[in-house]
Amino acid sequence: MRTLIDSYLAKYGFEAFCPKAVLFDMDGVLYNSMPNHVVAWHKSMAHYGLVMNEADAYATEGARGIDTVRELAKQQRGEDITMEKAQEMYDLKSKIFHDMKPQPPIMEGIPQLMAQINASGLQIGIVTGSGQRPLIARLMQDFGQYLTEDHIVTAYDVERGKPNPDPYLAGLRKMGNLNPWEALVVENAPLGVAAGVAARIFTIAVNTGPLKEKVLADKGANLVLARMTDLSDKWNELYSSFSSSSSS
């Protein structure tokens, strides 16, 4: 682990690694929600004569929904649809998703991990490409003991979504204007990993979907784990490494 931290510091010329916050993606990280998203994307885009399959859904995971819709229309129809039209199409996708039962479960390992991070004295933030109020309400219901609403970054907080660094840079600001070396990113999607790396934050990729781990590593993840329980099982060891790095 020390080697990974040293490589991270050397890459950006940072002097120390002093984590004060963990910034989590939401879908596929906090919730096992991607199977439902795949169905909602397929049904909603078919309504508009577009094709969105499972591979497409996972490939665009983490991006702002309206950006995904506009790119899909451009690729399949050669059409530059308006933001208003994209919002209408994305609203249908969101409705289908929220009407699905049962709700996606919390990802295995997340409750333990949240408690461990909190016990370590680090803040917790959420950086998601979604923006629907029901999602924010559920985050507060499930994780309100560790989280405040002003520590949640949504699609409507930035003009450029993942893979741009803007969402995670917004996360740093919301956590108290932290520097990149004062945070960790936990992601599961290529676009999200790319965003964390572009923001120069130490990025942990957890492969909770069907992708090969190499895909996440190739996007620049500093550490790739096979499942969320690996991160919760290793948290105390990892945090010990982080702490020794900040004091060395």
Side-chain angles (χ1 to χ4, degrees):
M1 188 64 201
R2 179 69 211 191
T3 301
L4 297 179
I5 295 172
D6 288 343
S7 296
Y8 165 76
L9 294 173
K11 179 178 180 179
Y12 299 111
F14 297 151
E15 294 184 0
F17 183 46
C18 313
K20 298 178 180 178
V22 179
L23 302 176
F24 286 94
D25 178 38
M26 183 176 68
D27 290 306
V29 172
L30 300 182
Y31 299 107
N32 188 14
S33 51
M34 281 308 295
N36 284 15
H37 278 295
V38 169
V39 172
W41 273 120
H42 175 73
K43 289 184 176 179
S44 60
M45 294 303 100
H47 180 80
Y48 292 97
L50 297 172
V51 177
M52 175 72 119
N53 58 31
E54 181 183 42
D56 296 328
Y58 277 99
T60 58
E61 181 187 355
R64 296 196 310 169
I66 53 175
D67 294 336
T68 297
V69 170
R70 297 189 79 198
E71 182 62 26
L72 197 67
K74 179 70 172 179
Q75 290 178 356
Q76 295 187 12
R77 290 183 180 169
E79 181 181 354
D80 291 313
I81 62 174
T82 65
M83 292 294 286
E84 291 75 18
K85 184 63 175 179
Q87 187 67 60
E88 171 197 316
M89 296 166 70
Y90 182 58
D91 285 346
L92 176 59
K93 182 263 175 181
S94 298
K95 182 180 186 307
I96 293 172
F97 176 80
H98 289 300
D99 287 346
M100 295 176 71
K101 302 297 180 186
Q103 284 189 319
I106 296 174
M107 191 70 71
E108 185 180 4
I110 282 294
Q112 299 91 327
L113 181 59
M114 287 279 193
Q116 289 171 308
I117 292 170
N118 183 66
S120 299
L122 275 64
Q123 300 181 84
I124 292 173
I126 311 296
V127 178
T128 175
S130 299
Q132 287 69 44
R133 291 304 308 175
L135 292 176
I136 308 306
R138 187 177 180 199
L139 284 171
M140 295 309 302
Q141 173 186 310
D142 292 337
F143 306 114
Q145 67 190 108
Y146 309 121
L147 182 68
T148 58
E149 191 166 337
D150 61 342
H151 285 173
I152 301 173
V153 176
T154 75
Y156 303 112
D157 288 312
V158 294
E159 292 186 5
R160 300 190 309 165
K162 303 171 186 178
N164 297 292
D166 306 38
Y168 281 110
L169 294 177
L172 293 176
R173 290 193 296 272
K174 287 200 172 194
M175 302 306 286
N177 291 316
L178 297 182
N179 295 299
W181 61 87
E182 295 178 310
L184 297 166
V185 163
V186 180
E187 268 284 356
N188 74 308
L191 296 183
V193 169
V197 171
R200 303 188 300 165
I201 305 172
F202 191 97
T203 300
I204 299 173
V206 184
N207 192 22
T208 61
L211 300 174
K212 293 184 181 299
E213 291 181 11
K214 183 177 184 300
V215 175
L216 301 172
D218 287 348
K219 289 296 182 179
N222 301 99
L223 174 65
V224 181
L225 299 173
R227 58 189 62 83
M228 193 59 65
T229 51
D230 287 348
L231 184 52
S232 62
D233 290 344
K234 295 176 184 292
W235 173 257
N236 289 333
E237 175 188 344
L238 292 174
Y239 185 66
S240 177
S241 299
F242 302 153
S243 299
S244 64
S245 171
S246 65
S247 60
S248 61

